[in-house]
């Protein structure tokens, strides 16, 4: 497993890395997709943590542990607010 987030070019004919951020997640097998809004990439984990990564600075801005269960889909609401649920039934709105 790898605890890095890789940004890959979608326009290059070859595999090209645009940036790498080490989130220090550890082993993780979350099937939930990362989501981006307004330059912030939200990275879910199977351990109940959401990481917010600044796309331009390529650094973790914040991390929030919500549960010990998998983070389901993440819905960025604007102004940094995030709505999400966890596999153990939690419903969360994070205000930033």
């Amino acid at each position: 497993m790898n605890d890095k987030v890789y940004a890959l070019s979608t326009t290059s004919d070859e595999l090209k890395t645009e940036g790498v951020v080490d989130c220090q997640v550890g082993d993780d097998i979350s099937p939930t997709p990362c989501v981006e809004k307004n330059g912030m990439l939200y990275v879910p984990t199977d351990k109940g943590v959401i990481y917010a990564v600044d796309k331009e600075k390529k650094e973790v801005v914040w991390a929030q542990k919500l549960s010990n269960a998998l983070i389901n889909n993440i819905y960025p609401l604007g102004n940094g607010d995030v709505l999400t649920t966890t596999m153990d039934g939690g419903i969360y709105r994070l205000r930033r």
Side-chain angles (χ1 to χ4, degrees), residues 6 9-10 17 26 46 50-51 60 63 66 74 83 92 94-95:
Y6 291 87
S9 173
T10 58
T17 303
D46 67 354
I50 295 176
Y51 292 86
V60 176
L66 301 173
I74 298 171
L83 181 66
Y92 301 90
L94 303 176
R95 296 177 189 252

Side-chain angles (χ1 to χ4, degrees), residues 26-87:
D27 290 342
D28 193 88
I29 56 169
S30 176
T32 307
C34 298
V35 178
E36 184 272 337
K37 184 165 187 172
N38 298 331
M40 194 67 67
L41 179 68
Y42 300 98
V43 181
T45 72
D46 67 354
K47 295 169 184 62
V49 180
I50 295 176
Y51 292 86
V53 176
D54 185 302
K55 278 179 43 180
E56 293 300 316
K57 296 179 182 175
K58 296 178 179 59
E59 65 184 24
V60 176
V61 177
W62 57 263
Q64 180 68 53
K65 178 144 178 101
L66 301 173
S67 171
N68 288 323
L70 173 87
I71 297 289
N72 293 321
N73 290 342
I74 298 171
Y75 303 96
L77 301 175
N79 297 326
D81 287 6
V82 175
L83 181 66
T84 191
T85 60
T86 56
M87 281 296 274

